[in-house]
């Protein structure tokens, strides 16, 4: 397959971008991650409903670890996390990436000491008919979660069919005299610049109801979080106005540390719910 090659200026560098016209983009650059929108000294007040949801996830994992005599947090390593979400809520109610960020935050520190040690994240969203619920009072979401050794693929902790109500990640309120958010234009506006270039060059995604997306990050990524790198580069696809935060039902994030390489961000998108 022939790939178009264009150049983009990113942080005063000339960066090569390749694309196949409709499903595959490769950005030859060191991956960047979206940093916190406030300084470290700022006190953040998180959404209490989200914290309750996260507390349930970590509580279940702690109980399983006690049964298996597994000491938490897990020792420093290279981990993978698989998540299956089944829900009767609509696409617009659940942003897959923000839901995953909330779940990963529940794992961070208590289960895996540093979420930068998660090198693989695979998430599937399955929608069921709202009529399948017996009572409206029953929570409408179910989660399967597996934490495993990324190198050996051996499962460490796992639970299936946890009935709950997912509260997606939301921006915290800032307190303690700090009420201004930081702005990182070279990162937060990167998707506009890259998107405009590739769309002008003929990149066009086929319209569909659902999409599967895979992002593979290579380079100096050892200390970078998968979800924050995805938050930087997924919006490139949103510029098509075809792929949106609400119609991605399969998301696979993978990072590969190569400190001596230029680095790359590999983005693949497939329509009609086909696994990339």
């Amino acid at each position: 397959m022939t790939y178009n090659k264009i150049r983009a200026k990113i942080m005063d560098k000339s960066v090569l971008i390749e694309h196949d016209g409709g499903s595959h983009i490769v950005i030859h650059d060191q991956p960047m991650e979206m940093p916190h929108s406030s300084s470290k000294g700022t006190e953040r007040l998180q959404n209490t409903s989200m914290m309750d949801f996260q507390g349930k996830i970590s509580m279940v994992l702690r109980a399983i670890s006690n049964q298996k005599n597994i000491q938490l947090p897990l020792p420093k390593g290279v981990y993978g996390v698989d998540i299956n979400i089944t829900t009767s809520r609509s696409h617009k109610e659940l942003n897959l990436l923000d839901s995953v960020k909330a779940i990963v935050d529940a794992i961070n520190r208590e289960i895996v000491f540093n979420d930068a040690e998660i090198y693989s994240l695979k998430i599937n969203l399955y929608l069921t008919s709202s009529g399948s619920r017996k009572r409206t009072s029953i929570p409408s979401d179910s989660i399967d979660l597996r934490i495993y050794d990324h190198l050996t693929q051996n499962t460490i902790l796992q639970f299936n069919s946890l009935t709950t109500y997912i509260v997606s990640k939301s921006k915290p309120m800032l307190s303690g005299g700090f009420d201004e958010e930081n702005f990182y234009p070279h990162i937060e506006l990167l998707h506009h610049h890259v998107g405009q270039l590739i769309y002008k060059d003929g990149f066009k995604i086929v319209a569909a109801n659902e999409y599967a997306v895979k992002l593979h990050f290579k380079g100096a990524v050892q200390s970078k979080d998968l979800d924050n790198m995805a938050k930087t580069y997924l919006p490139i696809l949103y510029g098509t106005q075809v792929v949106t935060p609400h119609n991605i039902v399969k998301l696979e994030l993978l990072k590969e540390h190569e400190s001596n390489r230029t680095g790359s961000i590999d983005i693949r998108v497939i329509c009609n719910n086909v696994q990339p």
Side-chain angles (χ1 to χ4, degrees):
M1 180 181 291
T2 302
Y3 278 70
N4 292 1
K5 297 182 179 182
I6 54 180
R7 288 275 175 180
K9 190 173 183 180
I10 300 176
M11 294 181 66
D12 297 323
K13 296 182 297 183
S14 178
V15 173
L16 173 65
I17 300 174
E18 298 181 273
H19 70 86
D20 68 351
S23 64
H24 189 196
I25 304 166
V26 182
I27 303 171
H28 295 275
D29 190 24
Q30 284 292 337
M32 293 186 286
E33 64 174 343
M34 196 71 71
H36 281 299
S37 57
S38 57
S39 59
K40 289 185 178 180
T42 303
E43 184 178 352
R44 302 179 181 92
L45 300 179
Q46 302 285 0
N47 180 289
T48 54
S49 296
M50 182 189 71
M51 293 180 68
D52 288 343
F53 163 66
Q54 292 172 331
K56 185 173 185 178
I57 298 287
S58 59
M59 178 186 67
V60 171
L61 289 172
R62 288 197 307 271
I64 295 171
S65 69
N66 285 335
Q67 291 175 351
K68 294 189 172 186
N69 293 319
I70 296 174
Q71 187 173 354
L72 296 178
L74 297 174
K76 183 176 176 61
V78 179
Y79 298 102
V81 178
D82 292 348
I83 302 168
N84 292 327
I85 297 172
T86 303
T87 183
S88 60
R89 294 153 71 185
S90 70
H91 276 309
K92 291 185 178 180
E93 286 186 77
L94 275 183
N95 176 318
L96 192 58
L97 181 58
D98 286 343
S99 298
V100 170
K101 283 181 68 64
I103 295 172
V104 170
D105 280 357
I107 296 171
N108 189 30
R109 296 187 184 277
E110 287 198 50
I111 312 300
V112 176
F113 182 72
N114 188 339
D115 55 4
E117 295 173 9
I118 299 174
Y119 277 65
S120 174
L121 266 173
K122 296 178 182 178
I123 311 99
N124 296 304
L125 177 64
Y126 301 102
L127 299 179
T128 61
S129 170
S130 59
S132 64
R133 282 187 290 165
K134 295 180 180 179
R135 299 193 306 272
T136 56
S137 60
I138 298 176
S140 55
D141 306 323
S142 176
I143 299 175
D144 303 332
L145 187 147
R146 172 178 173 250
I147 301 174
Y148 58 94
D149 185 306
H150 180 63
L151 301 178
T152 66
Q153 298 293 302
N154 292 331
T155 299
I156 302 172
L157 292 171
Q158 181 176 14
F159 63 71
N160 295 314
S161 303
L162 175 66
T163 303
T164 185
Y165 187 86
I166 295 173
V167 182
S168 299
K169 182 73 175 180
S170 58
K171 285 188 175 182
M173 293 180 61
L174 308 182
S175 67
F178 300 91
D179 57 2
E180 292 186 3
E181 291 193 347
N182 295 331
F183 178 51
Y184 307 90
H186 61 289
I187 299 178
E188 294 186 38
L189 301 179
L190 179 145
H191 64 280
H192 287 299
H193 184 50
V194 173
Q196 287 174 354
L197 287 174
I198 62 173
Y199 303 141
K200 187 177 180 179
D201 198 54
F203 186 82
K204 186 177 181 180
I205 299 173
V206 174
N209 292 327
E210 297 177 342
Y211 293 92
V213 177
K214 180 176 181 179
L215 286 85
H216 188 173
F217 306 101
K218 289 184 179 181
V221 294
Q222 190 172 28
S223 62
K224 295 176 182 177
D225 299 342
L226 277 172
D227 52 347
N228 287 330
M229 287 190 289
K231 191 174 180 180
T232 301
Y233 294 97
L234 260 182
I236 293 172
L237 301 178
Y238 303 157
T240 61
Q241 299 182 350
V242 178
V243 178
T244 74
H246 304 291
N247 61 18
I248 297 174
V249 296
K250 292 179 182 288
L251 183 60
E252 182 174 345
L253 309 178
L254 181 68
K255 73 176 187 178
E256 187 175 345
H257 184 67
E258 296 179 342
S259 58
N260 296 325
R261 298 290 184 89
T262 301
S264 65
I265 302 95
D266 188 297
I267 305 171
R268 296 178 186 267
V269 56
I270 298 178
C271 61
N272 293 333
N273 202 13
V274 179
Q275 182 68 44

